[in-house]
Amino acid sequence: MTEAQSNRALRVLVVEDEPIAAEAHTAYVGRVDGFEVVATVGTSQGALKVLQDKEIDVVLLDMNLPDRHGLDVVRAMRAAGHRADVIAVTSARDLDVVRAAVSLGVVQYVLKPFVFATLRERLLAYRAYREQVTSGAEVGTQAEVDEVFAGARVAGEVRLPKGMGEELLAKVARLLRESDGGRSASELAEALGVSRVTARRYAEHLCETRVAVRRSRYAGAGRPEVEYLWAR
């Protein structure tokens, strides 16, 4: 990699079919130094068209697209000769999907919902990895080889607000994602065995990160109750 190449922003294609999530991911990438979003699309067909027409360094790829599974998109990319790296950004927690993604060379696997700091750390780790593997330098020991291969998959610290845990956040997110309708803080608290205040705090965090939304639930006279819905 030349000095000019190392200093230029890496070109990113965001592939996400949920409009709110697509907007958030695009904004997140735009806030990380050294990266620029070239295009944001919501289908595999749109992704392959952009890859054909534009030079892309890395694809931020949702696994559950309306017209094709993300793994099939990666296979189609490679079959067409597209060499852009892939970072999977998805709510899919199936271990078989994770294993298949690794076998196809996906360099990062980021689970929804996530905060900006999580994606930022993954992108910076990816950039450092890319600079290593394209520098033309040689490695002298097995440890150096291992360090390069592990670099892109560095699992940085997830910086949730103080007092919040990733495991409970995932449980709240799963309840909202799998619910046919909205869930109030009381309903979340009962399902999870936590206090209403705790459930509300996690649900509000999901709204702040734009993977969930609030709405008012009216049930007769009196003040409406706030409920939370997954941003589909």
Side-chain angles (χ1 to χ4, degrees), residues 50-69:
V50 172
L51 287 165
Q52 179 180 336
D53 295 343
K54 300 180 182 294
E55 187 175 352
I56 301 294
D57 297 304
V58 59
V59 181
L60 213 61
L61 178 65
D62 181 30
M63 289 286 104
N64 296 310
L65 297 171
D67 56 341
R68 188 182 295 187
H69 193 278

Side-chain angles (χ1 to χ4, degrees), residues 60 87-91 108-114 118-119 122:
L60 213 61
I87 296 177
V89 180
T90 177
S91 57
Q108 290 273 13
Y109 199 98
V110 185
L111 289 175
K112 300 176 185 176
F114 54 85
T118 301
L119 183 60
R122 301 312 193 275

